[in-house]
Amino acid sequence: MTFSIGQRVSGRITGIQPYGAFVSLGGHRQGLIHISECHCGYVKDIHDYLKVNQEVDVVILDIDEFTGKISLSIRCLEHLDLEAPAPEHQHRHYWTNHHVAIGFKPIAENLAGWKAEASQRLQHERTPS
């Protein structure tokens, strides 16, 4: 089976370590759910959420092309409701104003001042008191 980032797949947990759970994805392919990706929020003990031989649905976060390691996440699915209909009107908030075409001009205008300020701070930190 060919895997791709963002793909939703099913697998079986084959082993659990303090840092994460190993998931068999079929054939000889295996992925890892890092402890931070097994549940939203703080996870003190991964055994509270996952058990060996448990069937899980996961999302592929990353595939290391050199080593073939696959990073998986359950957390990505916790707030994903695929059955919910899309809202008729969805407000999108943009952090930029598309009517203003200033581009990188503010950065270019302030860059010299920022560099001078950083240089002064660095000199101040190096000067013994």
Side-chain angles (χ1 to χ4, degrees), residues 103-114:
F104 291 101
K105 186 177 177 183
I107 295 173
E109 291 172 349
N110 291 301
L111 186 58
W114 293 335

Side-chain angles (χ1 to χ4, degrees), residues 2 4 8 11 20 24 27-28 32 34 57 70 76 94 111 113 122:
T2 304
S4 61
R8 184 176 178 164
S24 172
H28 296 293
L32 175 71
H34 188 267
D57 288 333
I70 301 174
C76 289
Y94 294 99
L111 186 58
L122 185 59

Side-chain angles (χ1 to χ4, degrees), residues 11-106:
R12 180 179 300 274
I13 296 178
T14 58
I16 297 179
Q17 296 295 323
Y19 54 85
F22 292 94
V23 179
S24 172
L25 300 174
H28 296 293
R29 297 304 302 259
Q30 182 169 275
L32 175 71
I33 304 169
H34 188 267
I35 188 169
S36 65
E37 292 296 334
C38 74
H39 180 71
C40 284
Y42 177 72
V43 176
K44 183 176 182 177
D45 185 2
I46 194 169
H47 292 91
D48 294 339
Y49 298 95
L50 302 173
K51 307 288 182 224
V52 174
N53 290 324
Q54 176 182 349
E55 289 285 333
V56 291
D57 288 333
V58 293
V59 172
I60 297 177
L61 293 181
D62 191 33
I63 302 172
D64 185 319
E65 293 181 21
F66 183 70
T67 63
K69 293 180 180 179
I70 301 174
S71 299
L72 306 171
S73 175
I74 294 175
R75 184 172 64 120
C76 289
L77 296 173
E78 287 186 355
H79 296 292
L80 183 62
D81 184 4
L82 297 176
E83 304 302 322
E88 289 182 27
H89 174 70
Q90 187 175 18
H91 175 71
R92 292 185 179 170
H93 179 76
Y94 294 99
W95 292 101
T96 59
N97 185 338
H98 294 288
H99 303 290
V100 179
I102 58 175
F104 291 101
K105 186 177 177 183

